[in-house]
Amino acid sequence: MASFLYKLGRLAFRRRRLVALIWVALLALAGFGAASAPAATSSSFSVPGTEAQKAFDLLEERFPGGSADGATARVVFKAPAGEKMTDPGPKAEVTGAVAALKSGSGQVASVTDPYTAQAVSKDGSTAYVSVTYRVGSMELTDDTLHALKQTGAQARDDGLTVEIGGDALQAAPETGAGEIIGVLIAGVVLVVTFGSLIAAGLPLLTALVGVGIGISTITALAAALDLGTTTSTLAMMIGLAVGIDYALFIVSRYRAELTEGREKEEAAGRAVGTAGSAVVFAGLTVVIALVGLAVVNIPLLTKMGFAAAGTVVVAVLIALTLIPALLGFAGDRVLGRKVRKGRAVADKPNMGARWARLVLRHPVAVLLVGVFGLGAIAVPAASLEVGLPDDGSQPVSTTQRKAYDLLSDGFGPGFNGPLMVVVDGDRAEADRAIKLIRNLDGAAAVTPPTLNKAGDTAMITVIPKDRPSSLATEDLVHEIREKSSDHVYVTGATALNTDFSQKMSDALLPYLALVVGLAFLLLMVVFRSLLVPLKAALGFLLSVVAALGAVVAVFQWGWLGSLFGVEQTGPVMSMMPIFMIGVVFGLAMDYEVFLVTRMREAFVHGQRPGEAIVTGFRHSARVVVAAAVIMIAVFAGFIGSSEQMIKMIGFGLAIAVFFDAFVVRMAIVPAVLALLGRRAWWLPRWLERTLPNVDVEGEQLDKEPSRSPGGSDEDRGLIPV
């Protein structure tokens, strides 16, 4: 591995103009594809294998055109105090609004009149108009949205309260300047770390190129592969973080090789051969974790994982090829001015080495403080509640939330989460289902059945007594399913959310076993040890549970919520735990590989275990800290997103990287390795003979003669055989 990457690094350095041209061409090609591709539609959401999805599929088959994927809106009117919506004045306003909606856009499929559709509350205080569109929310034109938002403007002037709910007002998530600030912080960290603007600019430039290619490709394929806007946002988040980090490690190793007196081409080859090997295996762990999301069998999650994994692959390839090519253009300007004046620098202890020696003197105390500290932060994770967001989780200042509350007050808390019961049978079987459901405690109202033209399928709407996300409504879903016949299915957004959450919970342990198992085997090959990969996996579990505890405390309990812009607390996203496990595991292994690989490299070259730990920290701690700060800054930049899911994932990943990098990898890892001593690197002989030797440490490079015997390193070009 090291020898191959060494040759690749030298080749990219020497053919730098061609390599740079190829990547610029790929960026232009991806950009052209994104610009010429059709606009992406709203991503469809399905949960294969669940009862709710079976019911949706049955409706598609038996009610052609009756379950379209078009956007919907509810325009809610509330009369002034002392008046009713049935009074002549308010009624005239609503009638005018209905007429305006019908004629306001050609995208409108239907508009219901509340006075003929029984959409007026019993006390007469509230009425709502249901609007359905022929297209999804992302395809609604500006004129259509303007007409919807202006609905009831005159009614507002006359004293009525008018609010709009539904998914028609759903917009692409806005991240604002948060991610830009994250990138700026990354730039400052790089300048401080390297002391050179050129060295600091290379990781930023290559990361932006990689993200540009990845996001443009996703945009170009969005319509064809049904990719939602969240997919590209998450790919950008992960691509920026790993792109900067991978380039950072290559550039840092190149600078170290230069200060040891090697010529530039040789230094580039060795940097890619050693740090590049760590980049390859770190990238593989991230890809395994992201692609492994496919085992959950949720198409949306699978697409998100594959898209983000593709961006990570691009980041790895750029680090191995474009970085050495750009280093060829930069020359020794990647070094600070002081270092350029005198290439050789004393290998004196730095902050990383001093910290490692402190841990070696007190390994038990450091281990206990780290473990119990993260354990305390993880306590809220025991109260984790999962669910999917609806208008009730929107900030109270939004019109969607106000419409949600008006409907709850006027029609009951369960009105915002109706259950759709689908009966695969005739009218008689539908009547039996209705009779059974009306006798259940959790049902507030049951509508008469609506049969299809063939008379063999019926739809029944059930209004729960409690709010959509409550345990009582979830119990009602299960009770209907348990007590009804096999031909009765419960679906609708509320039931689908329940099934989705259950499926995510059921898939958590198998997914964890698959990802951790594959990564354990991969790390065993990298480190040629049993205990180091085991320690890495256990440390990851500790950091990710602590991160989940922090997410629960902030987003579910509301602790420090105002600091992070959390306007409305509620259940944690159903996909958050499993997605965080996948992404954080891959990113956590980055630091494990980069930090411990340097320790093993020193151990392989004859140093004692304690000395190897100090050496690893002396060479890698500063860069790992910089990489962690950069990744935290990038992820934290997405906390400003208007999309609750993006905000939550940004916070969760940022806090997880903080815990893993600064507590687990910087404190617990050296403490455990100090206590294990030589046993940390133990591997049974039979297993050592079986495992392939990938030579991540570049040991083979030191056994071969130098490839740079003088002369112009820019004009030579012999590739070693």
Side-chain angles (χ1 to χ4, degrees):
M1 172 70 75
S3 296
F4 169 77
L5 293 178
Y6 169 85
K7 298 173 185 178
L8 179 63
R10 284 174 61 97
L11 179 63
F13 184 95
R14 192 170 58 255
R15 306 286 186 181
R16 47 188 172 272
R17 291 179 178 82
L18 177 61
V19 172
L21 182 62
I22 290 174
W23 281 109
V24 170
L26 289 175
L27 179 60
L29 182 63
F32 175 77
S36 58
T41 60
S42 303
S43 179
S44 60
F45 181 77
S46 62
V47 189
T50 62
E51 180 174 320
Q53 190 61 45
K54 291 177 182 176
F56 272 126
D57 295 341
L58 184 63
L59 287 176
E60 290 284 353
E61 177 186 349
R62 305 285 179 85
F63 286 84
S67 56
D69 293 327
T72 60
R74 277 180 174 174
V75 183
V76 186
F77 297 84
K78 183 176 177 61
E83 297 184 31
K84 292 185 178 182
M85 293 304 303
T86 52
D87 292 343
K91 187 173 182 179
E93 296 289 355
V94 174
T95 302
V98 170
L101 283 169
K102 287 181 178 179
S103 60
S105 171
Q107 292 183 314
V108 174
S110 65
V111 180
T112 62
D113 187 329
Y115 300 102
T116 59
Q118 298 181 345
V120 181
S121 61
K122 291 182 179 179
D123 61 4
S125 65
T126 310
Y128 67 90
V129 177
S130 293
V131 187
T132 59
Y133 295 89
R134 295 187 174 91
V135 296
S137 58
M138 302 304 294
E139 294 117 293
L140 293 176
T141 64
D142 291 340
D143 290 341
T144 300
L145 291 174
H146 179 74
L148 175 62
K149 292 175 182 178
Q150 290 301 311
T151 300
Q154 183 61 46
R156 290 189 183 94
D157 294 339
D158 291 340
L160 273 70
T161 300
V162 185
E163 304 294 346
I164 304 172
D167 63 358
L169 294 181
Q170 177 183 348
E174 298 176 359
T175 49
E179 67 273 28
I180 299 176
I181 295 174
V183 173
L184 292 177
I185 293 174
V188 173
V189 173
L190 288 169
V191 171
V192 172
T193 302
F194 288 138
S196 165
L197 289 175
I198 298 294
L202 288 181
L204 289 175
L205 175 62
T206 55
L208 292 175
V209 170
V211 168
I213 292 174
I215 299 303
S216 297
T217 303
I218 291 172
T219 304
L221 299 175
L225 300 181
D226 190 26
L227 303 177
T229 54
T230 303
T231 302
S232 58
T233 306
L234 294 175
M236 178 191 299
M237 184 189 303
I238 296 170
L240 270 178
V242 300
I244 294 174
D245 278 6
Y246 293 166
L248 168 63
F249 283 99
I250 300 288
V251 173
S252 176
R253 188 59 182 256
Y254 174 76
R255 284 160 48 95
E257 297 291 340
L258 284 182
T259 57
E260 291 178 7
R262 291 191 171 88
E263 295 296 336
K264 291 189 280 291
E265 184 177 324
E266 175 71 7
R270 285 181 170 266
V272 177
T274 52
S277 298
V279 166
V280 169
F281 283 99
L284 276 176
T285 58
V286 180
V287 170
I288 286 173
L290 292 171
V291 172
L293 292 170
V295 304
V296 185
N297 195 26
I298 303 291
L300 175 64
L301 202 58
T302 300
K303 293 170 185 176
M304 289 166 56
F306 272 87
T311 308
V312 172
V313 170
V314 172
V316 171
L317 294 176
I318 283 180
L320 299 179
T321 58
L322 185 56
I323 282 292
L326 294 180
L327 289 174
F329 289 112
D332 58 5
R333 285 175 294 175
V334 296
L335 298 172
R337 184 175 300 176
K338 293 181 180 179
V339 180
R340 288 203 301 270
K341 291 180 179 179
R343 290 280 286 272
V345 294
D347 190 16
K348 58 183 180 181
N350 55 19
M351 186 66 73
R354 289 193 288 270
W355 168 253
R357 289 196 177 98
L358 175 64
V359 175
L360 289 175
R361 287 196 298 269
H362 310 285
V364 175
V366 171
L367 180 62
L368 291 178
V369 171
V371 170
F372 283 106
L374 291 181
I377 298 173
V379 169
S383 303
L384 176 67
E385 296 178 6
V386 295
L388 288 178
D390 55 16
D391 285 348
S393 62
Q394 296 275 0
V396 293
S397 59
T398 62
T399 186
Q400 294 97 321
R401 175 60 187 273
K402 292 176 181 177
Y404 180 96
D405 292 339
L406 287 176
L407 289 173
S408 295
D409 295 340
F411 296 88
F415 188 80
N416 284 291
L419 305 178
M420 183 183 295
V421 177
V422 182
V423 181
D424 186 8
D426 56 15
R427 179 63 179 257
E429 189 157 359
D431 289 339
R432 287 193 293 270
I434 291 174
K435 182 178 180 181
L436 183 149
I437 296 170
R438 281 176 175 164
N439 291 327
L440 300 179
D441 292 335
V446 184
T447 65
T450 300
L451 274 74
N452 64 344
K453 292 181 179 180
D456 59 357
T457 308
M459 289 191 301
I460 303 167
T461 300
V462 180
I463 306 299
K465 289 182 179 178
D466 213 336
R467 56 191 174 87
S469 58
S470 69
L471 292 177
T473 301
E474 185 177 331
D475 291 340
L476 176 62
V477 172
H478 294 311
E479 194 173 7
I480 294 174
R481 288 172 174 173
E482 290 170 1
K483 296 185 177 181
S484 300
S485 68
D486 294 338
H487 300 291
V488 177
Y489 306 97
V490 184
T491 186
T494 302
L496 189 63
N497 291 353
T498 299
D499 289 350
F500 178 78
S501 300
Q502 185 62 49
K503 187 161 187 174
M504 297 297 291
S505 300
D506 293 343
L508 191 60
L509 288 180
Y511 172 73
L512 190 61
L514 172 69
V515 171
V516 174
L518 288 176
F520 180 87
L521 295 176
L522 186 66
L523 294 178
M524 190 165 59
V525 172
V526 173
F527 296 125
R528 306 193 73 76
S529 165
L530 286 176
L531 296 180
V532 171
L534 179 61
K535 174 262 308 168
L538 293 177
F540 150 74
L541 290 175
L542 187 59
S543 60
V544 79
V545 174
L548 280 175
V551 169
V552 170
V554 172
F555 289 89
Q556 186 175 311
W557 292 358
W559 292 4
L560 302 177
S562 59
L563 179 64
F564 298 103
V566 180
E567 297 184 37
Q568 181 64 36
T569 60
V572 174
M573 296 280 192
S574 299
M575 66 176 66
M576 183 68 184
I578 200 166
F579 188 82
M580 181 182 283
I581 285 173
V583 176
V584 173
F585 183 80
L587 299 179
M589 294 306 103
D590 283 1
Y591 304 116
E592 181 75 16
V593 170
F594 290 131
L595 188 61
V596 181
T597 296
R598 201 65 191 254
M599 296 180 192
R600 172 158 178 83
E601 184 177 339
F603 180 76
V604 166
H605 286 84
Q607 292 189 5
R608 294 193 305 272
E611 293 176 341
I613 294 173
V614 175
T615 299
F617 268 78
R618 180 168 62 247
H619 289 293
S620 300
R622 184 178 182 181
V623 181
V624 168
V625 168
V629 172
I630 289 169
M631 198 171 281
I632 291 169
V634 171
F635 288 148
F638 288 85
I639 296 176
S641 173
S642 61
E643 178 70 35
Q644 182 80 346
M645 178 179 175
I646 300 297
K647 181 190 292 287
M648 189 179 295
I649 289 179
F651 172 83
L653 294 182
I655 199 72
V657 169
F658 175 81
F659 291 152
D660 196 87
F662 292 101
V663 181
V664 175
R665 308 302 156 191
M666 285 291 169
I668 295 178
V669 164
V672 172
L673 291 178
L675 293 173
L676 290 175
R678 290 185 176 274
R679 289 169 294 181
W681 310 108
W682 172 78
L683 189 68
R685 291 184 179 179
W686 64 268
L687 187 56
E688 188 170 0
R689 290 192 297 267
T690 304
L691 293 177
N693 186 3
V694 295
D695 189 25
V696 176
E697 301 84 12
E699 186 179 5
Q700 188 64 34
L701 298 180
D702 293 331
K703 293 180 180 179
E704 300 178 12
S706 173
R707 279 90 167 172
S708 53
S712 173
D713 58 298
E714 294 183 0
D715 296 329
R716 286 189 333 269
L718 297 178
I719 301 177
V721 179

